[in-house]
Amino acid sequence: MYDYSIKMNEILIEYYKYKEEMNKVSECYLKMGELYKMKNDKSLMYIGEYYFVKFIGKEWGELENKEYIYRSELRIGEAITQMTKSLGVTLNGTITIINQNKDINELPFNTSFIQIGSVKKLEDKDQTNKFISEIPIIKTKDNKNITIKDIWKKKLYITTEHPLPSELIRQKVLHIEEYLCTPIECCIDDVIKKKKQLTSQFIISTQRNTPTMTLLSLLQGSLIPQVNGGIIEYFEMIKSTDINKEYREQLLNEITSFLDLCNECLNLYETILNKKYFQLHLKMKDGLHSLYSILNSLIIND
C-alpha cells in the first residue's frame, strides 16, 4: 500500500515539474516523507494474508519452539496483539518480537521471543499447504556503501500440516527447506517478478482499453533511472566475470524479455495516450532506448 502511494507521488512530481507547479512538487515530497515514515513503522506494517510465527522461550509453555503459518488480514501490530491475547500472554517486556532473519542461536537464554514474518502462497491455488518466505540478507561490513553484489536472499519453502485457508486460523509447520540465493539470483528473481506484474497490468489495460495507473507506475520505475536504477545495476552484474556465466546469460535473457514487454506496454500507451502524461511517456521511451543500447553492447565473457 505504501509503496504504491509513494510511486503515485513520484508520478505526480514528474507531472507537476513539467507544469512548473513547484508548490505542488514540494507538497508531494512532504507526503512521500510521511509515507516513508509510516512504511518503516512496524506497528503500521501490513503483513499480508499469511505469516510465519515461531514461539521461542519457556514462557510460551506448550507452544515453545512450535512453528505455525497464521492467516490474518490485520496489520502486524494488531495481529500480534490479537494472537498473544488469544494465547493468554502479554507482551510486557518479558516477550520480545523478532523478525525472521534473526539467528535464534544468538538470543539470550532466559528471554522469550515471538518470531514473525510475512509469507506468500507458493502455489496459485485457493487452498495450499506450501508457502514461501523471502528474507533479504546484507553481506558486507560497510553499511554506508552497500552495492547490489552485497544483497543476498534466504528463501524458506514452508510446508504445513493441512492447507490454508481453513476453519482454523493457523496450521502447524511440518517442514522448512532453506535456500540461499546469490546476488545475481536475486536479480533474476526480481526481473521475473517485474515481468509478471507488468504482464498482469498489460492484460488489464488491454481489456479496459486504457492504461492503468499501476502500469504507468511500473513502467516509470523500470525505465527512468532517477526513479529506479535497478536494470542498470543488473547490467553491471552481467559484465562481472567473477559470476557464473550461466546465471549472467539467464539474467541477460530475462532483461531482454522484460524490456520487450516494456516496449509493448509503451506502444499501448501511444495509442491511447492521455495528454497530461505525454512528456512522461517520452521520457520513458528515451529511457527504454538507453537501456536497449546498453543491452546490445553487452558481451558475456568467461
Side-chain angles (χ1 to χ4, degrees), residues 74-102:
L74 299 174
R75 299 186 188 282
I76 192 166
E78 296 167 337
I80 293 170
T81 300
Q82 183 192 68
M83 184 194 315
T84 52
K85 185 178 179 180
S86 68
L87 295 170
V89 178
T90 305
L91 292 172
N92 57 4
T94 59
I95 295 176
T96 305
I97 304 166
I98 57 174
N99 57 33
Q100 275 179 289
N101 60 2
K102 182 72 175 177

Side-chain angles (χ1 to χ4, degrees), residues 59-83:
E59 193 155 341
W60 292 111
E62 293 181 358
L63 286 173
E64 184 180 3
N65 293 326
K66 297 281 180 66
E67 298 168 326
Y68 295 91
I69 297 295
Y70 274 77
R71 181 176 184 268
S72 175
E73 296 178 358
L74 299 174
R75 299 186 188 282
I76 192 166
E78 296 167 337
I80 293 170
T81 300
Q82 183 192 68
M83 184 194 315

Side-chain angles (χ1 to χ4, degrees), residues 207-221:
Q207 290 170 343
R208 294 179 180 177
N209 199 34
T210 184
T212 66
M213 289 300 292
T214 305
L215 180 61
L216 177 61
S217 176
L218 289 169
L219 286 171
Q220 184 187 13

Side-chain angles (χ1 to χ4, degrees), residues 134-161:
E134 298 182 333
I135 305 164
I137 300 170
I138 307 298
K139 286 195 172 187
T140 179
K141 294 180 180 179
D142 186 3
N143 292 326
K144 293 182 179 179
N145 297 294
I146 297 172
T147 71
I148 198 168
K149 291 184 179 181
D150 301 320
I151 302 173
W152 296 59
K153 182 167 60 180
K154 182 166 66 174
K155 286 186 179 181
L156 301 177
Y157 295 94
I158 304 167
T159 304
T160 57
E161 189 171 14

Side-chain angles (χ1 to χ4, degrees), residues 6 56 82 86-87 91 113 130 137 173 175 191 198 200 223 247 269 271 276 283 288:
I6 289 166
I56 305 163
Q82 183 192 68
S86 68
L87 295 170
L91 292 172
F113 299 87
K130 297 185 184 298
I137 300 170
V173 171
H175 177 69
V191 177
L198 204 57
S200 172
L223 301 177
Y247 282 139
Y269 263 107
T271 58
K276 70 177 181 179
K283 279 188 177 182
L288 178 63

